[in-house]
Amino acid sequence: QVQLVESGGGLVQAGGSLRLSCAASGSIFSINTMGWHRQAPGKQRELVAVITSSGNTNYADSVKGRFAISRDNAKNTAYLQMNSLKPEDTAVYYCNAAVLDSTWRRGDYWGQGTQVTVSS
């Protein structure tokens, strides 16, 4: 079994910063892609940023230049540094990971989400 736990969300004023963390635990052999998605009220979940095991990254156009995704493979943890936050960044942020577990099964796992609220 694999679990993802996010942390670091909260309330921040526009222009401020937050750093989200996503820690994966359980019967993990390796993790391929890790990513952050978000879902605002009344909207569909959208991809924010992804990072491969080798460190290649990709971002949604709306966050390019403001957000940075990184990971610590030794800790099975991904991070999302969010700077210059805007009210439209308000959403529940979810972590996602493509995992090869210790029984050699591949699975796509999600965290429970962490709320980010940006006030104007």
Side-chain angles (χ1 to χ4, degrees), residues 20-24 34-36 51 69-72 75-80 95-96:
L20 306 183
S21 298
C22 170
M34 298 188 78
W36 290 94
I51 184 167
I69 188 170
S70 61
R71 65 191 283 175
D72 184 334
K75 295 181 179 180
N76 289 332
T77 299
Y79 306 94
L80 186 68
C95 177
N96 168 255

Side-chain angles (χ1 to χ4, degrees), residues 21-88:
S21 298
C22 170
S25 63
S27 304
I28 297 170
F29 180 78
S30 65
I31 302 177
N32 188 3
T33 301
M34 298 188 78
W36 290 94
H37 297 69
R38 67 186 181 187
Q39 187 166 19
K43 295 187 176 182
Q44 289 188 331
R45 190 174 296 189
E46 62 175 356
L47 177 66
V48 175
V50 294
I51 184 167
T52 67
S53 56
S54 57
N56 294 317
T57 59
N58 195 23
Y59 297 91
D61 288 342
S62 59
V63 306
K64 282 180 181 177
R66 300 188 297 122
F67 290 11
I69 188 170
S70 61
R71 65 191 283 175
D72 184 334
N73 290 330
K75 295 181 179 180
N76 289 332
T77 299
Y79 306 94
L80 186 68
Q81 178 66 43
M82 305 185 293
N83 300 324
S84 303
L85 282 160
K86 305 175 180 180
E88 50 264 44

